[in-house]
Amino acid sequence: MIFVHWDHKSQLWCVLSEDIPIFDYCNSNSKPIDGVKVFSSCDGLFLIGIWTDRGIEQPAGLVIWNPSTRQSIRLPHSKFSLQIGYDNDDDVDRGSTYGMAYDSTSDDYKIFRIDISGENDNEILALKNGSWRIIDGKTSGGRTDSRLLRGREFLAFVDGAFHWIGFLSKVCVISFNISDEMYGEISLPEIISSQLTLSQFKKAELEVDIHVGVSELRGMLGVYYKDDNNYNLWAMKKYGIKDSWMKLFTIVIAGGSYYNIKPKYTFSDDRVLLCFDKMIWSTPNSTRTEYIYRVISSDPMFPQQDYDKGDVVDEEGDVYTETLIFPKLGH
C-alpha cells in the first residue's frame, strides 16, 4: 500500500515512511502544499491531482506517477478543467473526478474525466494521442447523470469499463467502456435498490440516504452500502448479469460511528481488506480523520468486532503492484 503525506521538512508530497518525493511540481505560480489526491491507479501507476488553491474544486494539474521508478509526467489541461470551480451564484459543486486504465484493444492507457455537475461533456485522453477529446453523447448511448458522485470515489474498472453509482430512471451502476466509448447501465441488487431514497438539493445536487459505492473485487464488480447499523458487500459473479449478484458479508457497525468504509483489496482466499474512515473532529476550516484497516472474511468463524483495534494511520492508502512500466505522452 502507498500512503501520501506532506513532508514539512522537504516541502514535498511524499510516500509515508519512505519519504520518496512524488514528483517535482515547483514553479513560481504553484503551491502544491494546498493538496493532492490520488484519483486512480492502474498497473502500478497513479493518477494524482494537484491543488494550488484550497477554494477550487478542480485540481490545478494532473500527474501520472510511478512510485517504483519515481518517474512522472504532467498531463495537459482538458477543455473544461480551468472553468470548473465553485459557482457562488447557485452553490453548485462543479468538480470532476477521473479514472485511469489500460485499453487492451488499442494498447494504450486512457484517462476518463467525468463532469460531476453534468453541465459539461465528459472527456477522454489517450496517452498516445496526448490530448483530451469530448465524448459524443449522440454516439455513446446518451448523456449520463453523475450528480451522485462527490469526487472522492475511485471509479471501479472492470471488464474494460469504468463504473460508478448514478441515476437514470433509478439509482443504478453506470458504466463507460473505454474501447467503444459506450455508456451502459447495470441494476443494483434488489435489496439495495429497495432501501435507497433519492433526494434533490437545489437544482443540481442529488443524494441518497445511505452510503453506497462500487469497487473492483478480484476482477469482479463489487457494490457496498452502509446504513446506521450495517455494512454490506456484494459481488457480481458474472459481469452484466443481474441475477449473479451475491452478498459476500454483512458486518454490524456499532452506533454507526464510521462515516465511510471502502474495500481496498481482495486476497486470493476472498478475504477483503477494508478501510474504515472515522472523523475525529471537525472545524469550519479543518477536519481530522483517522483510517483503520482490517481484514474481513465471509467465514462466520472469523472475528468481526473491535474494528478500532486494526492498523490506524492518518492517511487513506491505495494498493498497487510495483512495476517498471511508464507510458509516454504523445507516443
Side-chain angles (χ1 to χ4, degrees), residues 36-40 49 51 57-59 93-99 114-117 146-155 164-165 211 260 262 316:
V36 301
K37 172 180 169 51
V38 176
F39 280 109
S40 183
W51 271 259
E57 192 68 19
Q58 178 72 18
D93 179 346
R94 301 187 178 210
S96 298
T97 193
Y98 300 83
I114 299 179
D115 175 62
I116 295 176
S117 72
S146 54
R147 289 177 292 171
L148 286 174
L149 286 170
R150 293 293 174 264
R152 297 182 293 269
E153 307 91 342
F154 258 40
L155 302 179
W164 65 96
I165 299 294
H211 182 73
N260 196 4
K262 298 178 184 177
E316 184 176 357

PDB file of all heavy atoms in Angstrom, residues 36-40 49 51 57-59 93-99 114-117 146-155 164-165 211 260 262 316:
ATOM      1  N   VAL A  36      -3.090  17.253  -2.577  1.00  0.00           N
ATOM      2  CA  VAL A  36      -3.014  16.275  -3.647  1.00  0.00           C
ATOM      3  C   VAL A  36      -4.087  15.224  -3.399  1.00  0.00           C
ATOM      4  O   VAL A  36      -4.532  15.035  -2.273  1.00  0.00           O
ATOM      5  CB  VAL A  36      -1.631  15.587  -3.751  1.00  0.00           C
ATOM      6  CG1 VAL A  36      -0.532  16.596  -3.990  1.00  0.00           C
ATOM      7  CG2 VAL A  36      -1.347  14.743  -2.524  1.00  0.00           C
ATOM      8  N   LYS A  37      -4.490  14.548  -4.458  1.00  0.00           N
ATOM      9  CA  LYS A  37      -5.460  13.473  -4.336  1.00  0.00           C
ATOM     10  C   LYS A  37      -5.131  12.388  -5.340  1.00  0.00           C
ATOM     11  O   LYS A  37      -4.887  12.670  -6.513  1.00  0.00           O
ATOM     12  CB  LYS A  37      -6.881  13.974  -4.587  1.00  0.00           C
ATOM     13  CG  LYS A  37      -7.910  12.856  -4.672  1.00  0.00           C
ATOM     14  CD  LYS A  37      -9.298  13.359  -4.928  1.00  0.00           C
ATOM     15  CE  LYS A  37     -10.248  12.207  -5.279  1.00  0.00           C
ATOM     16  NZ  LYS A  37     -10.204  11.105  -4.318  1.00  0.00           N
ATOM     17  N   VAL A  38      -5.118  11.139  -4.883  1.00  0.00           N
ATOM     18  CA  VAL A  38      -4.984  10.007  -5.783  1.00  0.00           C
ATOM     19  C   VAL A  38      -6.361   9.701  -6.353  1.00  0.00           C
ATOM     20  O   VAL A  38      -7.272   9.303  -5.635  1.00  0.00           O
ATOM     21  CB  VAL A  38      -4.425   8.776  -5.053  1.00  0.00           C
ATOM     22  CG1 VAL A  38      -4.398   7.575  -5.989  1.00  0.00           C
ATOM     23  CG2 VAL A  38      -3.027   9.052  -4.507  1.00  0.00           C
ATOM     24  N   PHE A  39      -6.522   9.918  -7.658  1.00  0.00           N
ATOM     25  CA  PHE A  39      -7.803   9.663  -8.306  1.00  0.00           C
ATOM     26  C   PHE A  39      -7.951   8.211  -8.732  1.00  0.00           C
ATOM     27  O   PHE A  39      -9.044   7.656  -8.701  1.00  0.00           O
ATOM     28  CB  PHE A  39      -7.961  10.544  -9.552  1.00  0.00           C
ATOM     29  CG  PHE A  39      -8.385  11.950  -9.264  1.00  0.00           C
ATOM     30  CD1 PHE A  39      -7.494  13.002  -9.430  1.00  0.00           C
ATOM     31  CD2 PHE A  39      -9.677  12.234  -8.840  1.00  0.00           C
ATOM     32  CE1 PHE A  39      -7.890  14.311  -9.178  1.00  0.00           C
ATOM     33  CE2 PHE A  39     -10.080  13.534  -8.584  1.00  0.00           C
ATOM     34  CZ  PHE A  39      -9.183  14.570  -8.750  1.00  0.00           C
ATOM     35  N   SER A  40      -6.823   7.600  -9.148  1.00  0.00           N
ATOM     36  CA  SER A  40      -6.927   6.271  -9.726  1.00  0.00           C
ATOM     37  C   SER A  40      -5.549   5.625  -9.752  1.00  0.00           C
ATOM     38  O   SER A  40      -4.524   6.311  -9.685  1.00  0.00           O
ATOM     39  CB  SER A  40      -7.481   6.375 -11.164  1.00  0.00           C
ATOM     40  OG  SER A  40      -7.673   5.110 -11.736  1.00  0.00           O
ATOM     41  N   GLY A  49      -4.090  14.291  -8.669  1.00  0.00           N
ATOM     42  CA  GLY A  49      -4.454  15.682  -8.865  1.00  0.00           C
ATOM     43  C   GLY A  49      -3.707  16.560  -7.885  1.00  0.00           C
ATOM     44  O   GLY A  49      -3.489  16.185  -6.741  1.00  0.00           O
ATOM     45  N   TRP A  51      -3.516  20.429  -6.160  1.00  0.00           N
ATOM     46  CA  TRP A  51      -4.243  21.678  -5.925  1.00  0.00           C
ATOM     47  C   TRP A  51      -3.288  22.808  -5.559  1.00  0.00           C
ATOM     48  O   TRP A  51      -2.357  22.610  -4.776  1.00  0.00           O
ATOM     49  CB  TRP A  51      -5.236  21.508  -4.771  1.00  0.00           C
ATOM     50  CG  TRP A  51      -6.575  21.015  -5.209  1.00  0.00           C
ATOM     51  CD1 TRP A  51      -7.705  21.745  -5.385  1.00  0.00           C
ATOM     52  CD2 TRP A  51      -6.933  19.667  -5.537  1.00  0.00           C
ATOM     53  NE1 TRP A  51      -8.741  20.949  -5.805  1.00  0.00           N
ATOM     54  CE2 TRP A  51      -8.295  19.669  -5.902  1.00  0.00           C
ATOM     55  CE3 TRP A  51      -6.228  18.464  -5.568  1.00  0.00           C
ATOM     56  CZ2 TRP A  51      -8.967  18.515  -6.279  1.00  0.00           C
ATOM     57  CZ3 TRP A  51      -6.888  17.320  -5.943  1.00  0.00           C
ATOM     58  CH2 TRP A  51      -8.247  17.349  -6.298  1.00  0.00           C
ATOM     59  N   GLU A  57     -12.524  23.456  -6.571  1.00  0.00           N
ATOM     60  CA  GLU A  57     -12.795  22.017  -6.570  1.00  0.00           C
ATOM     61  C   GLU A  57     -11.933  21.264  -7.574  1.00  0.00           C
ATOM     62  O   GLU A  57     -11.583  20.115  -7.370  1.00  0.00           O
ATOM     63  CB  GLU A  57     -14.276  21.788  -6.885  1.00  0.00           C
ATOM     64  CG  GLU A  57     -14.748  20.373  -6.643  1.00  0.00           C
ATOM     65  CD  GLU A  57     -14.754  19.985  -5.183  1.00  0.00           C
ATOM     66  OE1 GLU A  57     -14.752  20.882  -4.337  1.00  0.00           O
ATOM     67  OE2 GLU A  57     -14.744  18.777  -4.897  1.00  0.00           O
ATOM     68  N   GLN A  58     -11.583  21.931  -8.678  1.00  0.00           N
ATOM     69  CA  GLN A  58     -10.813  21.289  -9.738  1.00  0.00           C
ATOM     70  C   GLN A  58      -9.315  21.388  -9.452  1.00  0.00           C
ATOM     71  O   GLN A  58      -8.812  22.454  -9.110  1.00  0.00           O
ATOM     72  CB  GLN A  58     -11.122  21.965 -11.079  1.00  0.00           C
ATOM     73  CG  GLN A  58     -10.353  21.410 -12.257  1.00  0.00           C
ATOM     74  CD  GLN A  58     -10.856  20.030 -12.637  1.00  0.00           C
ATOM     75  OE1 GLN A  58     -11.946  19.645 -12.266  1.00  0.00           O
ATOM     76  NE2 GLN A  58     -10.064  19.295 -13.392  1.00  0.00           N
ATOM     77  N   PRO A  59      -8.548  20.291  -9.585  1.00  0.00           N
ATOM     78  CA  PRO A  59      -7.096  20.388  -9.388  1.00  0.00           C
ATOM     79  C   PRO A  59      -6.441  21.264 -10.440  1.00  0.00           C
ATOM     80  O   PRO A  59      -6.914  21.372 -11.573  1.00  0.00           O
ATOM     81  CB  PRO A  59      -6.628  18.933  -9.504  1.00  0.00           C
ATOM     82  CG  PRO A  59      -7.674  18.256 -10.321  1.00  0.00           C
ATOM     83  CD  PRO A  59      -8.973  18.925  -9.947  1.00  0.00           C
ATOM     84  N   ASP A  93     -21.564  22.421  -6.868  1.00  0.00           N
ATOM     85  CA  ASP A  93     -20.231  21.851  -6.901  1.00  0.00           C
ATOM     86  C   ASP A  93     -19.953  21.381  -8.331  1.00  0.00           C
ATOM     87  O   ASP A  93     -20.606  20.484  -8.829  1.00  0.00           O
ATOM     88  CB  ASP A  93     -20.188  20.668  -5.935  1.00  0.00           C
ATOM     89  CG  ASP A  93     -18.829  19.990  -5.921  1.00  0.00           C
ATOM     90  OD1 ASP A  93     -18.006  20.231  -6.806  1.00  0.00           O
ATOM     91  OD2 ASP A  93     -18.607  19.210  -5.008  1.00  0.00           O
ATOM     92  N   ARG A  94     -18.977  21.987  -9.005  1.00  0.00           N
ATOM     93  CA  ARG A  94     -18.735  21.674 -10.404  1.00  0.00           C
ATOM     94  C   ARG A  94     -17.426  20.945 -10.617  1.00  0.00           C
ATOM     95  O   ARG A  94     -16.784  21.109 -11.640  1.00  0.00           O
ATOM     96  CB  ARG A  94     -18.750  22.959 -11.227  1.00  0.00           C
ATOM     97  CG  ARG A  94     -20.070  23.718 -11.134  1.00  0.00           C
ATOM     98  CD  ARG A  94     -20.074  24.875 -12.102  1.00  0.00           C
ATOM     99  NE  ARG A  94     -21.329  25.584 -12.072  1.00  0.00           N
ATOM    100  CZ  ARG A  94     -21.844  26.209 -13.118  1.00  0.00           C
ATOM    101  NH1 ARG A  94     -21.229  26.191 -14.262  1.00  0.00           N
ATOM    102  NH2 ARG A  94     -22.984  26.857 -13.006  1.00  0.00           N
ATOM    103  N   GLY A  95     -17.018  20.173  -9.653  1.00  0.00           N
ATOM    104  CA  GLY A  95     -15.758  19.455  -9.784  1.00  0.00           C
ATOM    105  C   GLY A  95     -15.846  18.291 -10.752  1.00  0.00           C
ATOM    106  O   GLY A  95     -16.892  17.972 -11.314  1.00  0.00           O
ATOM    107  N   SER A  96     -14.706  17.659 -10.970  1.00  0.00           N
ATOM    108  CA  SER A  96     -14.611  16.483 -11.827  1.00  0.00           C
ATOM    109  C   SER A  96     -13.992  15.353 -11.033  1.00  0.00           C
ATOM    110  O   SER A  96     -13.348  15.568 -10.013  1.00  0.00           O
ATOM    111  CB  SER A  96     -13.737  16.771 -13.048  1.00  0.00           C
ATOM    112  OG  SER A  96     -14.276  17.795 -13.848  1.00  0.00           O
ATOM    113  N   THR A  97     -14.192  14.156 -11.518  1.00  0.00           N
ATOM    114  CA  THR A  97     -13.435  13.027 -10.999  1.00  0.00           C
ATOM    115  C   THR A  97     -12.862  12.282 -12.193  1.00  0.00           C
ATOM    116  O   THR A  97     -13.358  12.414 -13.321  1.00  0.00           O
ATOM    117  CB  THR A  97     -14.296  12.119 -10.110  1.00  0.00           C
ATOM    118  OG1 THR A  97     -13.446  11.223  -9.386  1.00  0.00           O
ATOM    119  CG2 THR A  97     -15.311  11.319 -10.921  1.00  0.00           C
ATOM    120  N   TYR A  98     -11.822  11.495 -11.972  1.00  0.00           N
ATOM    121  CA  TYR A  98     -11.047  10.907 -13.053  1.00  0.00           C
ATOM    122  C   TYR A  98     -10.786   9.419 -12.807  1.00  0.00           C
ATOM    123  O   TYR A  98     -10.714   8.968 -11.668  1.00  0.00           O
ATOM    124  CB  TYR A  98      -9.683  11.606 -13.183  1.00  0.00           C
ATOM    125  CG  TYR A  98      -9.744  13.080 -13.473  1.00  0.00           C
ATOM    126  CD1 TYR A  98      -9.917  14.005 -12.446  1.00  0.00           C
ATOM    127  CD2 TYR A  98      -9.620  13.563 -14.778  1.00  0.00           C
ATOM    128  CE1 TYR A  98      -9.961  15.363 -12.702  1.00  0.00           C
ATOM    129  CE2 TYR A  98      -9.664  14.926 -15.044  1.00  0.00           C
ATOM    130  CZ  TYR A  98      -9.836  15.818 -14.007  1.00  0.00           C
ATOM    131  OH  TYR A  98      -9.883  17.173 -14.266  1.00  0.00           O
ATOM    132  N   GLY A  99     -10.618   8.695 -13.887  1.00  0.00           N
ATOM    133  CA  GLY A  99     -10.194   7.311 -13.823  1.00  0.00           C
ATOM    134  C   GLY A  99      -9.103   7.060 -14.846  1.00  0.00           C
ATOM    135  O   GLY A  99      -9.075   7.701 -15.907  1.00  0.00           O
ATOM    136  N   ILE A 114     -15.004  12.718 -15.678  1.00  0.00           N
ATOM    137  CA  ILE A 114     -16.448  12.882 -15.521  1.00  0.00           C
ATOM    138  C   ILE A 114     -16.721  14.248 -14.925  1.00  0.00           C
ATOM    139  O   ILE A 114     -16.162  14.607 -13.880  1.00  0.00           O
ATOM    140  CB  ILE A 114     -17.041  11.810 -14.589  1.00  0.00           C
ATOM    141  CG1 ILE A 114     -16.819  10.410 -15.163  1.00  0.00           C
ATOM    142  CG2 ILE A 114     -18.532  12.049 -14.378  1.00  0.00           C
ATOM    143  CD1 ILE A 114     -17.351   9.323 -14.273  1.00  0.00           C
ATOM    144  N   ASP A 115     -17.563  15.015 -15.573  1.00  0.00           N
ATOM    145  CA  ASP A 115     -18.024  16.284 -15.015  1.00  0.00           C
ATOM    146  C   ASP A 115     -19.163  15.993 -14.049  1.00  0.00           C
ATOM    147  O   ASP A 115     -20.221  15.512 -14.448  1.00  0.00           O
ATOM    148  CB  ASP A 115     -18.497  17.216 -16.128  1.00  0.00           C
ATOM    149  CG  ASP A 115     -19.097  18.500 -15.571  1.00  0.00           C
ATOM    150  OD1 ASP A 115     -18.364  19.238 -14.897  1.00  0.00           O
ATOM    151  OD2 ASP A 115     -20.304  18.735 -15.807  1.00  0.00           O
ATOM    152  N   ILE A 116     -18.948  16.251 -12.765  1.00  0.00           N
ATOM    153  CA  ILE A 116     -19.916  15.863 -11.742  1.00  0.00           C
ATOM    154  C   ILE A 116     -21.216  16.646 -11.861  1.00  0.00           C
ATOM    155  O   ILE A 116     -22.301  16.124 -11.603  1.00  0.00           O
ATOM    156  CB  ILE A 116     -19.295  16.027 -10.335  1.00  0.00           C
ATOM    157  CG1 ILE A 116     -18.130  15.039 -10.170  1.00  0.00           C
ATOM    158  CG2 ILE A 116     -20.330  15.790  -9.242  1.00  0.00           C
ATOM    159  CD1 ILE A 116     -17.386  15.191  -8.867  1.00  0.00           C
ATOM    160  N   SER A 117     -21.124  17.891 -12.266  1.00  0.00           N
ATOM    161  CA  SER A 117     -22.343  18.704 -12.343  1.00  0.00           C
ATOM    162  C   SER A 117     -23.248  18.271 -13.482  1.00  0.00           C
ATOM    163  O   SER A 117     -24.456  18.515 -13.455  1.00  0.00           O
ATOM    164  CB  SER A 117     -21.972  20.180 -12.539  1.00  0.00           C
ATOM    165  OG  SER A 117     -21.483  20.401 -13.859  1.00  0.00           O
ATOM    166  N   SER A 146     -24.344  12.083 -13.369  1.00  0.00           N
ATOM    167  CA  SER A 146     -23.230  11.791 -12.464  1.00  0.00           C
ATOM    168  C   SER A 146     -23.313  12.603 -11.174  1.00  0.00           C
ATOM    169  O   SER A 146     -22.329  12.755 -10.467  1.00  0.00           O
ATOM    170  CB  SER A 146     -21.897  12.067 -13.162  1.00  0.00           C
ATOM    171  OG  SER A 146     -21.864  13.388 -13.673  1.00  0.00           O
ATOM    172  N   ARG A 147     -24.499  13.130 -10.870  1.00  0.00           N
ATOM    173  CA  ARG A 147     -24.617  14.050  -9.740  1.00  0.00           C
ATOM    174  C   ARG A 147     -24.528  13.367  -8.380  1.00  0.00           C
ATOM    175  O   ARG A 147     -24.435  14.037  -7.357  1.00  0.00           O
ATOM    176  CB  ARG A 147     -25.922  14.844  -9.856  1.00  0.00           C
ATOM    177  CG  ARG A 147     -25.908  15.877 -10.974  1.00  0.00           C
ATOM    178  CD  ARG A 147     -27.243  16.568 -11.096  1.00  0.00           C
ATOM    179  NE  ARG A 147     -28.280  15.649 -11.562  1.00  0.00           N
ATOM    180  CZ  ARG A 147     -29.579  15.957 -11.580  1.00  0.00           C
ATOM    181  NH1 ARG A 147     -29.987  17.144 -11.154  1.00  0.00           N
ATOM    182  NH2 ARG A 147     -30.459  15.090 -12.032  1.00  0.00           N
ATOM    183  N   LEU A 148     -24.557  12.026  -8.344  1.00  0.00           N
ATOM    184  CA  LEU A 148     -24.366  11.331  -7.072  1.00  0.00           C
ATOM    185  C   LEU A 148     -22.894  11.223  -6.707  1.00  0.00           C
ATOM    186  O   LEU A 148     -22.549  10.891  -5.574  1.00  0.00           O
ATOM    187  CB  LEU A 148     -24.996   9.929  -7.132  1.00  0.00           C
ATOM    188  CG  LEU A 148     -26.521   9.883  -7.083  1.00  0.00           C
ATOM    189  CD1 LEU A 148     -27.022   8.464  -7.304  1.00  0.00           C
ATOM    190  CD2 LEU A 148     -27.037  10.430  -5.762  1.00  0.00           C
ATOM    191  N   LEU A 149     -22.016  11.486  -7.677  1.00  0.00           N
ATOM    192  CA  LEU A 149     -20.583  11.475  -7.396  1.00  0.00           C
ATOM    193  C   LEU A 149     -20.208  12.703  -6.572  1.00  0.00           C
ATOM    194  O   LEU A 149     -20.764  13.783  -6.740  1.00  0.00           O
ATOM    195  CB  LEU A 149     -19.779  11.472  -8.696  1.00  0.00           C
ATOM    196  CG  LEU A 149     -19.749  10.155  -9.469  1.00  0.00           C
ATOM    197  CD1 LEU A 149     -19.120  10.375 -10.839  1.00  0.00           C
ATOM    198  CD2 LEU A 149     -18.987   9.085  -8.704  1.00  0.00           C
ATOM    199  N   ARG A 150     -19.219  12.536  -5.693  1.00  0.00           N
ATOM    200  CA  ARG A 150     -18.736  13.643  -4.882  1.00  0.00           C
ATOM    201  C   ARG A 150     -17.254  13.932  -5.134  1.00  0.00           C
ATOM    202  O   ARG A 150     -16.667  14.789  -4.497  1.00  0.00           O
ATOM    203  CB  ARG A 150     -18.957  13.337  -3.387  1.00  0.00           C
ATOM    204  CG  ARG A 150     -20.434  13.281  -3.001  1.00  0.00           C
ATOM    205  CD  ARG A 150     -21.065  14.657  -3.137  1.00  0.00           C
ATOM    206  NE  ARG A 150     -22.507  14.631  -2.910  1.00  0.00           N
ATOM    207  CZ  ARG A 150     -23.426  14.556  -3.858  1.00  0.00           C
ATOM    208  NH1 ARG A 150     -23.063  14.490  -5.129  1.00  0.00           N
ATOM    209  NH2 ARG A 150     -24.708  14.542  -3.570  1.00  0.00           N
ATOM    210  N   GLY A 151     -16.623  13.174  -6.044  1.00  0.00           N
ATOM    211  CA  GLY A 151     -15.227  13.428  -6.384  1.00  0.00           C
ATOM    212  C   GLY A 151     -14.229  12.696  -5.515  1.00  0.00           C
ATOM    213  O   GLY A 151     -13.033  12.747  -5.747  1.00  0.00           O
ATOM    214  N   ARG A 152     -14.722  11.988  -4.482  1.00  0.00           N
ATOM    215  CA  ARG A 152     -13.807  11.275  -3.589  1.00  0.00           C
ATOM    216  C   ARG A 152     -13.709   9.791  -3.933  1.00  0.00           C
ATOM    217  O   ARG A 152     -12.926   9.069  -3.347  1.00  0.00           O
ATOM    218  CB  ARG A 152     -14.279  11.432  -2.134  1.00  0.00           C
ATOM    219  CG  ARG A 152     -14.259  12.865  -1.626  1.00  0.00           C
ATOM    220  CD  ARG A 152     -14.675  12.933  -0.180  1.00  0.00           C
ATOM    221  NE  ARG A 152     -16.069  12.571   0.018  1.00  0.00           N
ATOM    222  CZ  ARG A 152     -17.071  13.432   0.002  1.00  0.00           C
ATOM    223  NH1 ARG A 152     -16.844  14.704  -0.235  1.00  0.00           N
ATOM    224  NH2 ARG A 152     -18.318  13.027   0.203  1.00  0.00           N
ATOM    225  N   GLU A 153     -14.535   9.340  -4.883  1.00  0.00           N
ATOM    226  CA  GLU A 153     -14.614   7.923  -5.174  1.00  0.00           C
ATOM    227  C   GLU A 153     -13.564   7.482  -6.197  1.00  0.00           C
ATOM    228  O   GLU A 153     -13.186   8.248  -7.076  1.00  0.00           O
ATOM    229  CB  GLU A 153     -16.005   7.572  -5.719  1.00  0.00           C
ATOM    230  CG  GLU A 153     -17.165   8.028  -4.861  1.00  0.00           C
ATOM    231  CD  GLU A 153     -17.669   9.413  -5.232  1.00  0.00           C
ATOM    232  OE1 GLU A 153     -16.913  10.164  -5.908  1.00  0.00           O
ATOM    233  OE2 GLU A 153     -18.793   9.751  -4.839  1.00  0.00           O
ATOM    234  N   PHE A 154     -13.123   6.241  -6.082  1.00  0.00           N
ATOM    235  CA  PHE A 154     -12.395   5.595  -7.157  1.00  0.00           C
ATOM    236  C   PHE A 154     -13.441   5.058  -8.133  1.00  0.00           C
ATOM    237  O   PHE A 154     -14.431   4.456  -7.725  1.00  0.00           O
ATOM    238  CB  PHE A 154     -11.571   4.423  -6.613  1.00  0.00           C
ATOM    239  CG  PHE A 154     -10.112   4.725  -6.456  1.00  0.00           C
ATOM    240  CD1 PHE A 154      -9.690   5.955  -5.974  1.00  0.00           C
ATOM    241  CD2 PHE A 154      -9.158   3.775  -6.769  1.00  0.00           C
ATOM    242  CE1 PHE A 154      -8.344   6.234  -5.812  1.00  0.00           C
ATOM    243  CE2 PHE A 154      -7.806   4.046  -6.614  1.00  0.00           C
ATOM    244  CZ  PHE A 154      -7.402   5.273  -6.129  1.00  0.00           C
ATOM    245  N   LEU A 155     -13.229   5.263  -9.431  1.00  0.00           N
ATOM    246  CA  LEU A 155     -14.086   4.636 -10.425  1.00  0.00           C
ATOM    247  C   LEU A 155     -13.641   3.187 -10.575  1.00  0.00           C
ATOM    248  O   LEU A 155     -12.476   2.926 -10.869  1.00  0.00           O
ATOM    249  CB  LEU A 155     -13.987   5.368 -11.764  1.00  0.00           C
ATOM    250  CG  LEU A 155     -14.352   6.859 -11.754  1.00  0.00           C
ATOM    251  CD1 LEU A 155     -14.171   7.434 -13.158  1.00  0.00           C
ATOM    252  CD2 LEU A 155     -15.787   7.068 -11.280  1.00  0.00           C
ATOM    253  N   TRP A 164     -19.592   3.621 -11.804  1.00  0.00           N
ATOM    254  CA  TRP A 164     -19.891   4.489 -10.664  1.00  0.00           C
ATOM    255  C   TRP A 164     -21.391   4.446 -10.399  1.00  0.00           C
ATOM    256  O   TRP A 164     -22.173   3.985 -11.230  1.00  0.00           O
ATOM    257  CB  TRP A 164     -19.414   5.923 -10.923  1.00  0.00           C
ATOM    258  CG  TRP A 164     -20.094   6.654 -12.043  1.00  0.00           C
ATOM    259  CD1 TRP A 164     -21.153   7.521 -11.972  1.00  0.00           C
ATOM    260  CD2 TRP A 164     -19.753   6.592 -13.444  1.00  0.00           C
ATOM    261  NE1 TRP A 164     -21.476   8.002 -13.212  1.00  0.00           N
ATOM    262  CE2 TRP A 164     -20.652   7.456 -14.139  1.00  0.00           C
ATOM    263  CE3 TRP A 164     -18.791   5.903 -14.177  1.00  0.00           C
ATOM    264  CZ2 TRP A 164     -20.604   7.627 -15.517  1.00  0.00           C
ATOM    265  CZ3 TRP A 164     -18.747   6.063 -15.547  1.00  0.00           C
ATOM    266  CH2 TRP A 164     -19.629   6.927 -16.206  1.00  0.00           C
ATOM    267  N   ILE A 165     -21.793   4.913  -9.226  1.00  0.00           N
ATOM    268  CA  ILE A 165     -23.208   4.979  -8.877  1.00  0.00           C
ATOM    269  C   ILE A 165     -23.810   6.250  -9.463  1.00  0.00           C
ATOM    270  O   ILE A 165     -23.285   7.348  -9.269  1.00  0.00           O
ATOM    271  CB  ILE A 165     -23.413   4.969  -7.350  1.00  0.00           C
ATOM    272  CG1 ILE A 165     -22.863   3.668  -6.747  1.00  0.00           C
ATOM    273  CG2 ILE A 165     -24.888   5.136  -6.994  1.00  0.00           C
ATOM    274  CD1 ILE A 165     -23.611   2.423  -7.170  1.00  0.00           C
ATOM    275  N   HIS A 211     -24.951   5.348   2.461  1.00  0.00           N
ATOM    276  CA  HIS A 211     -23.717   5.417   1.678  1.00  0.00           C
ATOM    277  C   HIS A 211     -23.603   4.173   0.800  1.00  0.00           C
ATOM    278  O   HIS A 211     -23.649   3.045   1.276  1.00  0.00           O
ATOM    279  CB  HIS A 211     -22.507   5.512   2.608  1.00  0.00           C
ATOM    280  CG  HIS A 211     -21.223   5.645   1.854  1.00  0.00           C
ATOM    281  ND1 HIS A 211     -20.852   6.810   1.208  1.00  0.00           N
ATOM    282  CD2 HIS A 211     -20.242   4.749   1.582  1.00  0.00           C
ATOM    283  CE1 HIS A 211     -19.701   6.635   0.605  1.00  0.00           C
ATOM    284  NE2 HIS A 211     -19.310   5.392   0.813  1.00  0.00           N
ATOM    285  N   ASN A 260     -17.472   6.174   6.585  1.00  0.00           N
ATOM    286  CA  ASN A 260     -17.279   5.558   5.285  1.00  0.00           C
ATOM    287  C   ASN A 260     -16.439   4.303   5.426  1.00  0.00           C
ATOM    288  O   ASN A 260     -15.513   4.262   6.223  1.00  0.00           O
ATOM    289  CB  ASN A 260     -16.589   6.554   4.354  1.00  0.00           C
ATOM    290  CG  ASN A 260     -16.702   6.156   2.906  1.00  0.00           C
ATOM    291  OD1 ASN A 260     -17.350   5.174   2.579  1.00  0.00           O
ATOM    292  ND2 ASN A 260     -16.075   6.914   2.029  1.00  0.00           N
ATOM    293  N   LYS A 262     -14.541   1.401   2.815  1.00  0.00           N
ATOM    294  CA  LYS A 262     -14.242   1.069   1.428  1.00  0.00           C
ATOM    295  C   LYS A 262     -13.425  -0.221   1.346  1.00  0.00           C
ATOM    296  O   LYS A 262     -12.477  -0.402   2.106  1.00  0.00           O
ATOM    297  CB  LYS A 262     -13.417   2.188   0.775  1.00  0.00           C
ATOM    298  CG  LYS A 262     -14.104   3.535   0.715  1.00  0.00           C
ATOM    299  CD  LYS A 262     -13.169   4.558   0.107  1.00  0.00           C
ATOM    300  CE  LYS A 262     -13.768   5.955   0.110  1.00  0.00           C
ATOM    301  NZ  LYS A 262     -12.817   6.956  -0.416  1.00  0.00           N
ATOM    302  N   GLU A 316      -5.397   7.998   3.975  1.00  0.00           N
ATOM    303  CA  GLU A 316      -6.011   6.881   3.268  1.00  0.00           C
ATOM    304  C   GLU A 316      -5.017   6.326   2.263  1.00  0.00           C
ATOM    305  O   GLU A 316      -4.398   7.082   1.514  1.00  0.00           O
ATOM    306  CB  GLU A 316      -7.284   7.325   2.550  1.00  0.00           C
ATOM    307  CG  GLU A 316      -8.018   6.189   1.874  1.00  0.00           C
ATOM    308  CD  GLU A 316      -9.328   6.624   1.241  1.00  0.00           C
ATOM    309  OE1 GLU A 316      -9.682   7.802   1.374  1.00  0.00           O
ATOM    310  OE2 GLU A 316      -9.983   5.772   0.606  1.00  0.00           O
TER     311      GLU A 316
END
